[in-house]
Each structure stands twice: as C-alpha cells, then as structure tokens.
Amino acid sequence: MAIQVQVTAREMGRALAEAVRAEPAVKRLWASANRDRIELSILTDPTDADTERRLYAAGLILHDRFPDAYFLIDVINPIYFISLDLQMLIPNGAQEIPVRPE
C-alpha cells in the first residue's frame, strides 16, 4: 500500500511565492483549501498579458513538485476590475502568503 502525502495550501502557496517572487508586477498572494482543491490567488499591479501568462506558467513548477495535487491559480489583474474589492475576489478563509522576504 502506498502512502500518499497531502500538500497543504500554505506549502503550495510558499512554493508559488518562490516561483513568482522575481516578477515585479506581483504584489500579494493568498492560498486556500476548498474541498478537493487548493486555490491560489495572485494580485498584480496593472500588467500585460505576457506577464499574466508567465504567472500562470509558474503552475508548471507546482505540477512537478506536487504531482497529485489539484489546484487552481487565479491572477487578479486590476485592469479588468472597476473596483478591486479583495473580499469579493479572494476565497473566504484564504491565508496570505508573503511573496518577498521582508
């Protein structure tokens, strides 16, 4: 019988933070566990589509590191929102993960 190690939202959030840390547009990141998946929300400064694609592509690192985990990455780019109400955009109970060491 194989032992399956489950990843936490915090662990996955930290791995994503490490992967996107060098991207200047990234401002904040949250991680939450919802039913059978982990949701990762990245808030950016207003940015272009190429930057968004690079942020979504960082998910490939997560696939390699956590191959059995089911997760969703959401890039929140302010250019698409009239009002940036984070309470409406970030899943309830999400934990903020520091992107850059303070």
Side-chain angles (χ1 to χ4, degrees):
M1 176 185 284
I3 297 173
Q4 188 172 11
V5 177
Q6 296 220 345
V7 63
T8 67
R10 181 176 287 281
E11 289 171 310
M12 190 169 274
R14 286 179 178 163
L16 182 59
E18 187 177 309
V20 300
R21 177 170 292 143
E23 183 60 62
V26 174
K27 292 177 65 173
R28 297 171 74 182
L29 183 146
W30 293 266
S32 64
N34 294 308
R35 296 188 184 166
D36 62 342
R37 75 172 181 228
I38 293 174
E39 295 184 27
L40 302 156
S41 302
I42 303 171
L43 175 65
T44 68
D45 285 324
T47 194
D48 59 14
D50 287 337
T51 301
E52 282 190 44
R53 281 190 285 276
R54 283 193 303 275
L55 295 173
Y56 283 115
L60 296 174
I61 293 168
L62 300 181
H63 279 291
D64 289 343
R65 188 162 173 190
F66 310 107
D68 295 328
Y70 176 51
F71 65 91
L72 172 71
I73 295 176
D74 183 24
V75 176
I76 303 167
N77 185 344
I79 66 171
Y80 300 115
F81 299 93
I82 294 171
S83 171
L84 200 61
D85 182 356
L86 293 179
Q87 289 183 339
M88 297 295 293
L89 299 172
I90 306 302
N92 288 335
Q95 301 174 328
E96 186 162 4
I97 307 295
V99 176
R100 295 172 187 87
E102 295 182 19

